[in-house]
Structure formats: C-alpha cells, structure tokens
Amino acid sequence: MLTNIVCNEEPYIEVSISDSISAQIIDCFKWRQDVNEEAFIVISSLSNMYKRDFSQNIESFYDFIDFGLQQKNSSGIVRNTCGLIADLCVNECASFLVQKLDCIMPKVFDLLSDTNVDRSVKIWSITNIGDLLGVSGEHFAPYMVKAMQILEFASKRIIEFNRAQSDEDYIEYIMSMSQILIETYTSII
C-alpha cells in the first residue's frame, strides 16, 4: 500500500509533509520488524520525489540500507538496495553517501567477492561503484585500488567469455556486465 501511495500519488504529496511520511514509513518498517523488496522501492520513490528535500530524512533510513546490503540470500532486497543507492547518487544526497562510504563500500565489495551472490546483484554492485565514485570524488580514494581490481577481474571474465558454451541467460548477463563496466570506467575517467 505504501508503494501505491508514494509511487502513484506523488503529484498530490506536498514536500512539506515529507518528514511525516518518512517517519510513518520508518514506524511501519520497525513495527513489521522486517524490510522487504518493496520497502526499498518506497524509499527510492521518496528520494526521487523530494530530491534535495529528502536528504534531511535519509539518515533515518540508513539502517535499512545497511540491512539491505547484507541480505546476500535475498537478491531482490540487495538489488533494490543498490538501486536505492543509485537513486540517492542522482538525487542530491551525495554528502550523506560520502559520510557513509566506510560503511557502504566494504559491503559492496563483499557482495562482489562472494561467489554465491546472484549475478544480477553483481551488476548493481558495480553500478554502485561508479555512482559512488562519481558523487564522492576524492573521498573515494581509499577504495580505488580495490575497485580497480574488481573491475579488472570482471573485465577479464568478459574477455574470456565463450559464447558458444553459454546459455542465453549467461550471454545476456555478460552483455549487461560489459555495458556496466564501460559506464563505470567512464565515471572513473
């Protein structure tokens, strides 16, 4: 229901009540003692709706972002959390993300190094590297060596890819990963 209210009714929601909406959503998450995939869609929708005005509320949602990045067994939650991070990068929440790099980047790197994590999560995690680098600039320096190692490893996997020995899903994954790697390298340059 929250998703319908936030996603479908956004022209009718005044920016002045964003604090109230955010508080109610957080209360709902705490009451349920669970955050599902839809929760991150709601937070992303709020971020997209309020942009700069949402930056004052994002700290309240950080525990859910942290939780989402640790849910390796739920690729939907992790993908939506990575999608939320991407939205925050473009919605003027850069100062918040820079403050949280020490918390976010190790979890992103962990997702990328875990061989049991779903492939789609890896694509979103690499996207986050590029997005976070783009908004954090020099603050990303402590993570640059590790990020470059991951990008190099992924690039080599694509170069070694044998189309004849792969199914269609894997071919699509490789094509998506190639595009994301190009975008991420571009954000480095």
Side-chain angles (χ1 to χ4, degrees):
M1 182 166 153
L2 286 172
T3 306
N4 289 336
I5 291 169
V6 174
C7 294
N8 297 330
E9 302 293 329
E10 59 185 74
Y12 306 107
I13 297 175
E14 296 291 326
V15 172
S16 61
I17 63 169
S18 68
D19 291 342
S20 175
I21 291 171
S22 296
Q24 290 174 17
I25 290 170
I26 290 169
D27 287 345
C28 180
F29 293 162
K30 288 178 180 176
W31 177 77
R32 288 176 54 179
Q33 297 179 341
D34 184 30
V35 180
N36 58 22
E37 294 174 36
E38 189 175 274
F40 296 99
I41 295 170
V42 170
I43 300 168
S44 283
S45 296
L46 285 170
S47 167
N48 290 326
M49 187 182 346
Y50 296 123
K51 301 208 184 303
R52 182 179 315 149
D53 295 314
F54 187 71
S55 63
Q56 65 194 16
N57 295 320
I58 190 57
E59 184 68 43
S60 303
F61 288 101
Y62 179 72
D63 289 342
F64 304 110
I65 295 169
D66 187 59
F67 169 83
L69 288 173
Q70 297 179 56
Q71 300 308 303
K72 293 179 182 181
N73 294 330
S74 178
S75 59
I77 288 177
V78 179
R79 272 193 317 268
N80 287 359
T81 305
C82 290
L84 169 60
I85 292 170
D87 285 344
L88 294 174
C89 286
V90 298
N91 288 332
E92 302 182 41
C93 295
S95 62
F96 166 79
L97 293 168
V98 168
Q99 293 171 13
K100 297 296 185 182
L101 277 176
D102 288 339
C103 300
I104 294 172
M105 289 311 301
K107 290 175 180 84
V108 170
F109 291 150
D110 188 43
L111 290 168
L112 288 164
S113 64
D114 189 327
T115 57
N116 296 316
V117 171
D118 187 76
R119 293 186 301 221
S120 63
V121 168
K122 295 189 183 284
I123 289 174
W124 275 102
S125 298
I126 288 179
T127 299
N128 281 166
I129 289 174
D131 291 340
L132 290 166
L133 171 64
V135 299
S136 60
E138 66 189 35
H139 300 286
F140 196 85
Y143 313 103
M144 189 57 102
V145 171
K146 178 86 170 172
M148 292 305 294
Q149 290 170 343
I150 288 170
L151 296 175
E152 180 182 7
F153 177 79
S155 297
K156 285 180 180 178
R157 294 285 310 258
I158 288 172
I159 291 168
E160 296 166 358
F161 167 64
N162 184 347
R163 182 176 233 137
Q165 296 177 347
S166 299
D167 61 42
E168 286 185 42
D169 287 339
Y170 194 70
I171 293 170
E172 185 177 324
Y173 165 73
I174 291 294
M175 306 255 310
S176 296
M177 181 62 80
S178 298
Q179 183 62 37
I180 294 304
L181 286 168
I182 291 169
E183 292 172 12
T184 303
Y185 278 123
T186 301
S187 67
I188 292 170
I189 298 170

